[in-house]
Amino acid sequence: MEQFNYKVQLEPFTERHYIRKFKKDYRNNWLATERTIIAVCEHIDNMLQYSRADLIATSGCCKLVKLDFAVEGTRMSPKASGNRCILLVDEEMRTVKILLVYSKNEISPPNETQKWKSVIRNEYAEIAERFSL
C-alpha cells in the first residue's frame, strides 16, 4: 500500500504564543526551521518508527506525539537543543496539528511534562479530554 504524506497545520495558539518568541530570537533561521518541522511532520509515521518522535498517548486513530527539533544554524542535535513540538496526529484523516512549539527552558521548571499538559488542558480542552490529560 502506498503511503501518502500527512497534511500539517500550525494551530493559531502556538503561532501567537511560542512561535513568536522563536521568530524574534532566531530571525533568519526560524523560517528554515519551521519548514523542516513541517517536512518532518509530513512523514510523522516514519519518525515514530525511527524514534525521532516520542509517542505520548493513543486514542482510536489519533496520537499525541512529542517531537524534538533544533533551530537551523545552531549546530545542536534536536534532543540536546531542548526544543519540542507537541503534535496531534490523526491517522484516519492523515493530518498533523502542531499544538505547541516550545523551548524546554521556557516551559520547564520544575516539570516540563506537567506544564505542557496544563497548556493543552487550558487551550485544547477536547484533546485533553480525549487523551485524559
Side-chain angles (χ1 to χ4, degrees), residues 84-130:
R84 315 277 190 255
C85 295
I86 303 298
L87 314 171
L88 176 65
V89 179
D90 186 325
E91 293 179 328
E92 188 176 293
M93 300 296 291
R94 301 290 292 175
T95 60
V96 175
K97 291 184 179 182
I98 302 174
L99 305 176
L100 296 176
V101 175
Y102 66 91
S103 168
K104 189 174 171 182
N105 298 330
E106 289 176 36
I107 201 170
S108 182
N111 187 324
E112 172 192 356
T113 302
Q114 290 306 316
K115 296 256 176 133
W116 69 253
K117 282 183 177 182
S118 175
V119 173
I120 297 292
R121 278 191 298 272
N122 292 333
E123 300 300 325
Y124 305 101
E126 304 154 5
I127 295 168
E129 188 175 316
R130 179 176 197 151

Side-chain angles (χ1 to χ4, degrees), residues 56-88:
I56 297 167
T58 302
S59 176
C61 64
C62 292
K63 295 178 180 178
L64 205 54
V65 174
K66 181 169 72 172
L67 175 71
D68 301 324
F69 72 93
V71 174
E72 293 289 324
T74 59
R75 305 183 92 172
M76 293 186 83
S77 74
K79 195 78 159 172
S81 73
N83 299 323
R84 315 277 190 255
C85 295
I86 303 298
L87 314 171
L88 176 65

